């Protein structure tokens, strides 16, 4: 019988909060060498100022060079195979390669461009609320609302058939589960890329108004098929996985903090500030992408040599007393200025305007439709071993 995997320190939570050991680490040491799910050790950075410093400095903390590590248990891959798997993945590059890819995508994710999507997002949200209401109370909020709404939005934006959602959601869930064997996760990654490559080929033959079609029409000479495949794969994964977990976990956070929920009901104009505070307080992405030092660096009084893995603990950074007073309190009146839930620097989340818009529409619509919304069980079902924290289910009644 195989041993059950140990949850890495940077992924440990106590409900909505980072594990108490992480808070002690932040307050006393700041940086510590820890085990990772990759089978190699890394330096874990926990303070807000240090996390921002790492995320701001792509020269000394490289995303591209982490590919030098071969994960224990991973099959041998040739340089060509590695290059194909990395192509188009913005998270696997540093400037100037990263800058080139991001510049092609940025116009599609401006706030102005996102506003064009707003009527469609409102319609999708209302459709799913109608279906929930028709099916009757109780319902699983995750499967009936939190997951399908962002999935449908990103499918329409990219040009991915919504009928394929069960398959790509299954693959994504396996890919992000660090308790799964590395060979399984790599096999799923290949399967995902094969699916997206076939979709890209169809769009190249007949590009429409979807984002991938726009990239083919306007930048077809600048982007290879492998790059388009990588872009599509990353946006599909990030576009549904993060926002869906924010909607599920965020709803539970509001239900568990009835004073904040009541304030948002009475003053719906607070929704933007509420979304920022939920992003900060929940910090569903544990760490973002690991970095590799390119030179000797000093963080929190620790000297870290070149060629070392560095990871950022986003939940402890966003709960750092140096960022704001009483950071462990959930308070929608403050708007959570300066959080790093979307990262920081050149790799700041490209889809942040879309995620904010989906949450700004979905939370008020849900609370307005079901004024008596409540969690059925006092227990919550958290996804502990996933790269993106969230809930497996959330049964609600109204």
């Amino acid at each position: 019988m195989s041993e059950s995997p140990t949850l890495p320190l940077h992924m440990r939570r106590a409900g909505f909060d980072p594990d108490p050991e992480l808070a002690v680490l932040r307050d006393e040491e700041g940086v510590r060498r820890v085990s990772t799910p990759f089978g190699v050790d890394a330096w874990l950075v926990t303070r807000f100022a240090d996390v921002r410093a790492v995320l701001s400095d792509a020269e000394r903390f490289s995303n591209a060079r982490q590919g030098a590590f071969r994960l224990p248990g991973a099959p041998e891959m040739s340089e060509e195979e590695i290059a194909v798997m990395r192509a188009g993945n913005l998270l696997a590059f540093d400037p100037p390669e990263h800058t080139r890819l991001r510049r092609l995508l940025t116009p599609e994710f401006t706030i102005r461009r996102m506003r064009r999507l707003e009527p469609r997002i409102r319609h999708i949200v209302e459709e799913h609320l109608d279906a929930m209401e028709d099916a009757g109370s109780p319902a699983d909020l995750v499967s009936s609302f939190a997951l399908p709404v962002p999935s449908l939005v990103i499918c329409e934006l990219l040009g991915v058939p919504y009928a394929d959602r069960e398959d790509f959601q299954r693959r994504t869930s396996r890919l992000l589960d660090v308790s799964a064997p590395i060979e399984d996760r790599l096999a799923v990654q290949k399967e995902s890329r094969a699916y997206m490559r076939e979709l890209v080929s169809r769009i190249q033959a007949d590009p429409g108004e979807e984002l991938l079609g726009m990239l083919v029409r306007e930048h077809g000479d600048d982007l290879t098929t492998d790059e388009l495949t990588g872009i599509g794969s990353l946006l599909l994964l990030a576009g549904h996985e993060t926002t869906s977990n924010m909607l599920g976990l965020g709803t539970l956070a509001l239900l568990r903090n009835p004073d904040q929920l009541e304030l948002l009901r009475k003053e719906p104009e607070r929704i933007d500030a509420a979304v920022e505070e939920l992003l900060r307080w929940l910090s569903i992405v544990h760490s973002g992408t690991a970095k590799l030092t390119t030179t000797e660096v000093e963080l929190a009084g620790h000297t870290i040599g070149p060629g070392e893995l560095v990871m950022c603990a986003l939940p402890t950074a966003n709960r750092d007393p140096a960022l704001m007073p009483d950071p462990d309190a959930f308070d929608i009146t403050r708007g959570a200025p300066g959080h790093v839930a979307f990262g920081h620097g050149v790799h700041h989340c490209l889809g942040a305007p879309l995620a904010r818009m989906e949450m700004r529409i979905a939370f008020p619509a849900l609370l307005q439709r079901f004024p008596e919304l409540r969690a059925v069980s006092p227990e919550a079902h958290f996804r502990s071993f996933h790269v993106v924290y969230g809930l497996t289910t959330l049964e609600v009644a109204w």
Side-chain angles (χ1 to χ4, degrees):
M1 191 170 138
S2 62
E3 275 184 55
S4 56
T6 303
L7 191 62
L9 178 59
H10 77 280
M11 294 177 70
R12 290 180 206 160
R13 307 269 184 144
F16 296 118
D17 305 326
D19 187 283
E21 188 182 341
L22 278 165
V24 172
L25 168 55
R26 177 194 61 213
D27 298 341
E28 294 183 359
E29 300 170 63
V31 174
R32 184 194 294 171
R33 199 168 174 80
V34 298
S35 306
T36 73
F38 318 123
V40 291
D41 287 349
W43 293 89
L44 185 62
V45 184
T46 57
R47 292 175 183 162
F48 180 77
D50 294 328
V51 165
R52 270 180 62 111
V54 170
L55 297 178
S56 299
D57 190 346
E59 282 190 22
R60 295 193 304 159
F61 301 95
S62 167
N63 272 33
R65 299 196 195 186
Q66 53 161 306
F69 276 101
R70 180 165 169 262
L71 304 180
E76 286 280 0
M77 292 175 70
S78 67
E79 290 292 322
E80 290 76 18
E81 286 176 310
I82 292 170
V84 167
M85 292 294 279
R86 290 176 71 228
N89 180 355
L90 277 77
L91 299 178
F93 292 96
D94 299 325
E97 293 88 351
H98 171 270
T99 312
R100 177 183 74 86
L101 289 169
R102 183 148 179 149
R103 191 177 289 136
L104 300 179
L105 286 168
T106 299
E108 292 308 303
F109 286 92
T110 58
I111 292 170
R112 186 168 57 86
R113 191 69 62 93
M114 287 300 105
R115 283 204 183 111
R116 289 190 203 165
L117 284 174
E118 187 166 350
R120 182 63 187 137
I121 294 172
R122 288 191 185 280
H123 182 69
I124 289 168
V125 165
E126 292 300 327
E127 270 188 332
H128 284 81
L129 291 174
D130 289 344
M132 273 179 69
E133 194 168 12
D134 291 346
S137 174
D140 175 18
L141 189 81
V142 172
S143 61
S144 59
F145 186 72
L147 184 55
V149 167
S151 294
L152 186 50
V153 171
I154 199 66
C155 281
E156 290 197 4
L157 182 66
L158 289 177
V160 175
Y162 189 56
D164 296 348
R165 70 192 179 282
E166 283 187 18
D167 283 340
F168 74 66
Q169 284 167 2
R170 172 188 53 78
R171 287 193 296 265
T172 298
S173 184
R174 192 70 173 153
L175 184 63
L176 297 181
D177 182 354
V178 300
S179 68
I182 185 63
E183 56 269 27
D184 286 10
R185 293 170 66 200
L186 286 171
V188 169
Q189 187 180 5
K190 282 189 173 180
E191 199 184 318
S192 298
R193 284 195 74 100
Y195 166 79
M196 185 57 68
R197 189 179 179 88
E198 185 184 333
L199 180 66
V200 164
S201 297
R202 293 207 303 266
I203 290 174
Q204 283 173 320
D206 184 21
E209 294 303 309
E210 65 281 300
L211 188 146
L212 289 173
M214 179 282 300
L215 288 174
V216 168
R217 285 199 315 276
E218 297 183 14
H219 305 289
D221 296 335
D222 307 317
L223 289 166
T224 66
T225 299
D226 285 335
E227 285 178 328
L228 283 164
T229 300
I231 289 168
S233 297
L234 176 63
L235 294 180
L236 179 60
L237 182 152
H240 79 272
E241 194 59 38
T242 48
T243 308
S244 70
N245 283 291
M246 274 302 302
L247 290 176
L249 204 56
T251 299
L252 183 61
L254 288 165
L255 294 174
R256 292 273 182 90
N257 290 271
D259 58 327
Q260 301 296 299
L261 176 59
E262 189 56 29
L263 180 59
L264 186 56
R265 280 194 200 282
K266 285 183 178 171
E267 301 176 26
E269 65 274 11
R270 290 188 183 273
I271 185 58
D272 288 349
V275 164
E276 296 310 311
E277 178 68 345
L278 283 165
L279 286 162
R280 177 198 74 86
W281 197 67
L282 296 172
S283 295
I284 59 166
V285 177
H286 301 289
S287 64
T289 315
K291 321 284 183 188
L292 198 69
T293 53
T294 60
T295 185
E296 185 176 282
V297 296
E298 188 166 306
L299 283 171
H302 297 261
T303 300
I304 301 172
E308 297 269 10
L309 269 185
V310 172
M311 300 181 72
C312 295
L314 302 182
T316 54
N318 281 333
R319 299 282 192 99
D320 192 335
L323 174 61
M324 62 179 60
D326 199 13
D328 288 323
F330 175 53
D331 179 1
I332 67 170
T333 65
R334 61 179 157 204
H339 65 74
V340 287
F342 283 123
H344 183 68
V346 296
H347 290 286
H348 180 270
C349 176
L350 182 69
L354 177 60
R356 284 184 166 112
M357 175 172 286
E358 288 181 85
M359 287 184 275
R360 186 166 54 76
I361 292 169
F363 283 124
L366 174 68
L367 299 177
Q368 186 177 352
R369 180 69 68 96
F370 304 117
E372 302 300 318
L373 191 73
R374 64 189 186 280
V376 171
S377 170
E379 292 180 6
H381 303 278
F382 296 104
R383 301 193 326 173
S384 298
F385 278 90
H386 276 247
V387 172
V388 181
Y389 192 54
L391 298 169
T392 54
T393 58
L394 174 58
E395 195 174 10
V396 294
W398 55 89

